[in-house]
Amino acid sequence: MTTIPFPQTTRLIKVTMNPILIRQVWAAIEGMQTTNLCSLDDRTLIDNLLGVVGRKQALDYGEKQAINRYLRAKLPLVRDIGDARLSDERKK
């Protein structure tokens, strides 16, 4: 079980995700095009990543909700990864 602090509140929300599911989420992030990581709005980016993970394995409602919450908490990191990749691509 992972405890994620949400920046807009001081409340902690417990999200149950097994390590395999977390790995699949990060694989989906790594596999997504840089322009999508940087330019899609938050809702669309999360929906796209949920779709990628959902195509690899059937997700129940609880898993979808957990991934959604996890991604919302990690969006600044996901955007930073996209920005860093974009910067690296421009340097080449």
Side-chain angles (χ1 to χ4, degrees), residues 22-42:
I22 292 172
R23 191 175 247 313
Q24 289 176 344
V25 167
W26 285 103
I29 292 165
E30 288 299 318
M32 184 162 277
Q33 290 181 345
T34 303
T35 53
N36 289 342
L37 289 177
C38 296
S39 64
L40 293 177
D41 64 273
D42 292 351

Side-chain angles (χ1 to χ4, degrees), residues 49-62:
L49 290 167
L50 265 170
V52 170
V53 175
R55 283 189 290 277
K56 300 219 184 257
Q57 125 179 12
L59 301 171
D60 65 29
Y61 179 78

Side-chain angles (χ1 to χ4, degrees), residues 1-4 13-27 29 49-50 53 57 59-74:
M1 184 171 305
T2 305
T3 303
I4 300 170
I13 297 176
K14 293 188 182 206
V15 178
T16 303
M17 287 180 48
N18 67 47
I20 293 169
L21 199 53
I22 292 172
R23 191 175 247 313
Q24 289 176 344
V25 167
W26 285 103
I29 292 165
L49 290 167
L50 265 170
V53 175
Q57 125 179 12
L59 301 171
D60 65 29
Y61 179 78
E63 290 170 324
K64 287 178 185 177
Q65 291 299 97
I67 292 170
N68 188 310
R69 284 190 213 112
Y70 181 80
L71 285 171
R72 279 199 275 161
K74 299 296 183 186

